[in-house]
Amino acid sequence: MTLASIRRGYHVIKTLLQYGLDEVLPPKMTPWYFKLARNSLFWIHNKHKNKPGGERLKLAMQELGPVYIKLGQMLSTRRDLLSDEWANELAMLQDKVPPFDGVLARQAIEAELKAPIESFFDDFDETPLASASISQVHTATLKSNGKAVVLKVLRPNVEAKIQADLLLMSQTAKLIEYLLGEGNRLRPAEVIEDYRVTILGELNLKLEALNAVKLRNNFLNSDALYVPYVYEEFCYPRLMVMERIYGIPVSDIAALKAQGTNFKLLAERGVELFFTQVFRDNFFHADMHPGNIFISLEHPENPRYIGLDCGIMGTLSEVDKRYLAENFLAFFNRDYHRIAQLYIESGWVSEKTDLQAFEQAIKVVCEPMFNKPLDEISFGHVLLELFRTARHFDIIVQPQLVLLEKTLLYIEGLGRQLYPQLDLWQTAKPFLEQWMAEQVGPKAMFKKVSTKLPYWSDKLPEFPELIYDNLKLGRKLLSSQQQMLDKYLKYQQQSHKSNYLLITSAILLICGTLLFNQDATLWTPYVCLISGAILWFIGWRSRPKNRKF
């Protein structure tokens, strides 16, 4: 562990203790290392005794920086784990992070453009429109067409800070793997490595721009989702320029009610968007916390989402998509045996897993869900519990599935916040059934043939020549195999003849030796010995010389 990591680890512990987070937890839930740290670092005092626990956690994460702010953003949607007080405080991390100086933002933007801002933009506002954990946004207008745009620029030195936190997390994960037997099974180092790739992707705004363009193209002319236009000619690793949008934050329920928004349709569309991105496009927005989602001001009776911040996008393999869809459908149908089979077939758990024991464990998790009203069942919570259950059966951690699980919890949390009576099953099940039918039915076969047809038509003129070459090669192989077989048979014949003579000679030699000690005519043992010697000589000379065939 490096000196920088030790310093960072000390800073993390010190910050948590300064905000008194060890004091707001029930005594039974306080980790032993919190108690040890409090007793050891007696000179660090709680400076926020008069503030509630949720505000303490928010301030601590805000002080610790972008990696921890991202964690707080995720936790803000988990109202099944946190009280409303704590969740509401953490939600403020999404768009109320203190901004950095606008002069520094101007300098960073001009460094990427390699020219003064006024060369390309008018009305640049040094006061940020919004400030996030990794970047902040400023408004301007394009000189070329006068359209309103926003310029998203990374915070100064944010890369170095994130690298330091990731190094600390990586070293901690390796230590856990070393100390805990279960740690090796859960592969925390591998999970942290995947998180590292994900968050470092957010630090490249050029990559985010490309993601936004792809997502926008997937939903062109859609009533459900709008992604702002990206001006790719002004996008760089630390700068991104896109059209300015006007909408209502999805978390502003009062404003949405005031404009007469259809909340039921809005909530259902959120679920449909998730499954469409995952199963139709295999490219889903994996950071859909409330700060990244707005609702269009137009047509509140037919509401449309506006999606921002495409830094974290997820994909699944075709195999994972297929097994995941079947898993959901098996859950809908209460087919726990099939769920257990799918986990094993997909490789998510070991093939040595006891299928019946695994099935019973899944049943214990899922069956109580069906005793609740549909609008009280958390789809994301079910998926989370299934993964937790699988951990007892040596689950192989799939980072892409963890990302999917987090996204589903985001979407479901938002949907229930907008429309508490949301029936996720009624929305999701028909979509999944239709998708599965398209994957395995006649339409799917026709689609796959249609996809391959251009390739086949391109290769069709070459088929006669390919067939002739293959037949010619086949004849050569058959001829070579026949020659090898003939040599082998000849060798076997020679070998059998030689072995027979050698065995017979051995018997005669043994008999001749034994007869010297018996009452036999004087010439008999000599005949056996001489005959045996002659046969041994013939057998030895007749053995095959070349053993290659």
Side-chain angles (χ1 to χ4, degrees):
M1 186 172 286
T2 65
L3 183 60
S5 297
I6 294 173
R7 280 201 299 262
R8 181 57 175 165
Y10 171 77
H11 177 65
V12 170
I13 295 173
K14 177 183 175 182
T15 301
L16 297 178
L17 294 178
Q18 281 181 332
Y19 285 94
L21 292 177
D22 58 318
E23 298 175 4
V24 298
L25 296 173
K28 292 183 179 180
M29 293 180 61
T30 305
W32 63 268
Y33 44 83
F34 264 39
K35 296 176 182 177
L36 179 63
R38 174 63 74 187
N39 294 329
S40 302
L41 306 176
F42 57 87
W43 61 89
I44 300 176
H45 304 289
N46 177 8
K47 299 179 180 179
H48 303 271
K49 291 184 178 181
N50 297 327
K51 294 177 181 175
E55 186 178 357
R56 293 188 199 183
L57 180 60
K58 179 200 72 175
L59 293 173
M61 288 187 160
Q62 189 168 289
E63 183 172 323
L64 287 172
V67 174
Y68 297 89
I69 289 173
K70 287 290 178 185
L71 177 62
Q73 290 173 344
M74 182 195 74
L75 290 174
S76 72
T77 64
R78 293 299 310 273
R79 295 178 185 258
D80 57 321
L81 300 178
L82 300 177
S83 66
D84 287 342
E85 175 204 341
W86 285 56
N88 290 336
E89 285 290 343
L90 292 180
M92 297 173 67
L93 287 168
Q94 294 158 357
D95 52 11
K96 295 187 179 181
V97 180
F100 62 91
D101 193 338
V103 174
L104 295 177
R106 173 184 284 273
Q107 293 173 355
I109 292 169
E110 292 181 341
E112 293 297 302
L113 293 173
K114 295 181 174 57
I117 288 179
E118 288 72 22
S119 300
F120 304 103
F121 304 97
D122 291 324
D123 307 319
F124 177 77
D125 190 352
E126 288 189 358
T127 301
L129 176 67
S131 181
S133 56
I134 290 178
S135 60
Q136 74 181 26
V137 173
H138 294 261
T139 60
T141 56
L142 274 174
K143 267 188 177 297
S144 58
N145 56 21
K147 289 188 176 180
V149 295
V150 294
L151 290 78
K152 182 175 182 179
V153 60
L154 292 184
R155 286 177 168 268
N157 303 318
V158 68
E159 297 94 336
K161 294 177 182 177
I162 287 180
Q163 289 283 12
D165 275 331
L166 290 174
L167 179 60
L168 178 63
M169 288 181 176
S170 177
Q171 291 170 337
T172 303
K174 289 176 182 177
L175 181 63
I176 292 173
E177 283 192 342
Y178 177 76
L179 294 176
L180 303 178
E182 186 179 11
N184 291 326
R185 175 163 55 85
L186 297 178
R187 300 188 298 180
E190 187 171 318
V191 174
I192 292 297
E193 172 61 20
D194 183 77
Y195 178 61
R196 184 186 73 83
V197 173
T198 299
I199 197 166
L200 290 182
E202 280 198 273
L203 294 176
N204 187 340
L205 296 183
K206 179 69 174 178
L207 177 60
E208 179 181 336
L210 294 175
N211 289 340
V213 170
K214 183 175 181 178
L215 186 63
R216 175 183 170 84
N217 290 337
N218 287 343
F219 287 91
L220 281 178
N221 303 317
S222 167
D223 288 336
L225 176 66
Y226 180 80
V227 179
Y229 180 81
V230 175
Y231 293 89
E232 295 183 71
E233 66 272 25
F234 295 119
C235 292
Y236 301 89
R238 304 191 88 254
L239 173 67
M240 175 180 173
V241 178
M242 57 186 171
E243 73 169 297
R244 184 176 182 180
I245 56 95
Y246 300 90
I248 300 173
V250 72
S251 57
D252 192 346
I253 305 298
L256 292 173
K257 285 182 178 178
Q259 75 163 6
T261 302
N262 185 336
F263 283 98
K264 182 176 185 295
L265 180 58
L266 186 63
E268 290 173 349
R269 277 186 171 170
V271 177
E272 291 171 359
L273 281 173
F274 168 76
F275 284 102
T276 301
Q277 290 179 67
V278 172
F279 292 102
R280 187 195 71 181
D281 303 328
N282 194 20
F283 188 71
F284 60 93
H285 196 306
D287 196 21
M288 297 193 72
H289 62 76
N292 288 337
I293 304 174
F294 288 77
I295 307 302
S296 173
L297 296 172
E298 302 174 353
H299 311 296
E301 75 288 349
N302 186 30
R304 180 163 65 164
Y305 287 92
I306 301 173
L308 304 176
D309 197 348
C310 297
I312 304 177
M313 305 298 292
T315 61
L316 298 175
S317 70
E318 291 299 319
V319 172
D320 281 344
K321 278 202 305 180
R322 173 77 175 271
Y323 281 119
L324 193 64
E326 287 195 63
N327 216 316
F328 285 148
L329 290 174
F331 171 73
F332 287 138
N333 298 322
R334 303 171 79 164
D335 188 349
Y336 308 123
H337 181 74
R338 182 56 182 154
I339 294 176
Q341 281 183 323
L342 288 167
Y343 268 81
I344 295 172
E345 290 174 7
S346 64
W348 298 344
V349 296
S350 170
E351 59 182 9
K352 298 178 181 178
T353 299
D354 185 332
L355 183 62
Q356 290 185 338
F358 190 29
E359 178 185 347
Q360 287 301 315
I362 291 172
K363 186 175 182 179
V364 168
V365 171
C366 296
E367 195 63 27
M369 300 287 180
F370 290 94
N371 297 324
K372 298 180 179 179
L374 290 179
D375 59 7
E376 293 182 13
I377 297 176
S378 168
F379 205 3
H381 186 66
V382 169
L383 187 61
L384 180 65
E385 288 300 318
L386 285 176
F387 283 141
R388 283 177 179 168
T389 300
R391 287 193 180 101
H392 298 293
F393 294 85
D394 294 328
I395 186 173
I396 300 173
V397 175
Q398 304 289 326
Q400 71 275 18
L401 296 179
V402 174
L403 196 62
L404 179 87
E405 174 193 311
K406 184 194 81 169
T407 305
L408 180 56
L409 287 168
Y410 276 173
I411 294 297
E412 189 176 44
L414 287 173
R416 291 276 163 79
Q417 186 178 358
L418 294 169
Y419 186 69
Q421 296 78 30
L422 174 66
D423 184 351
L424 195 66
W425 290 17
Q426 184 180 354
T427 307
K429 187 177 180 181
F431 182 96
L432 291 170
E433 288 176 335
Q434 180 181 352
W435 184 83
M436 283 299 298
E438 291 173 353
Q439 296 302 304
V440 299
K443 289 184 179 179
M445 184 175 293
F446 177 76
K447 183 178 179 181
K448 290 176 183 177
V449 171
S450 301
T451 303
K452 293 288 186 181
L453 200 56
Y455 174 79
W456 292 344
S457 62
D458 183 53
K459 293 295 181 182
L460 187 60
E462 302 176 19
F463 275 10
E465 185 177 348
L466 291 172
I467 293 171
Y468 173 78
D469 290 342
N470 285 329
L471 288 174
K472 189 176 179 180
L473 179 62
R475 291 194 197 99
K476 288 182 179 180
L477 289 173
L478 287 173
S479 176
S480 175
Q481 289 177 351
Q482 184 63 45
Q483 291 175 8
M484 291 174 62
L485 182 60
D486 290 343
K487 289 181 181 180
Y488 176 75
L489 293 175
K490 184 177 180 181
Y491 168 80
Q492 288 292 87
Q493 290 173 356
Q494 291 177 344
S495 181
H496 288 161
K497 179 182 177 182
S498 173
N499 291 340
Y500 174 75
L501 292 173
L502 290 172
I503 292 171
T504 304
S505 69
I507 292 172
L508 289 172
L509 290 171
I510 293 170
C511 290
T513 303
L514 293 174
L515 286 174
F516 274 117
N517 300 321
Q518 304 296 328
D519 292 332
T521 57
L522 186 61
W523 52 269
T524 304
Y526 290 101
V527 171
C528 291
L529 291 171
I530 293 170
S531 300
I534 293 171
L535 290 175
W536 178 86
F537 179 76
I538 296 172
W540 180 257
R541 292 296 300 270
S542 63
R543 61 182 171 70
K545 301 295 187 300
N546 185 10
R547 294 174 180 264
K548 295 181 180 180
F549 46 84

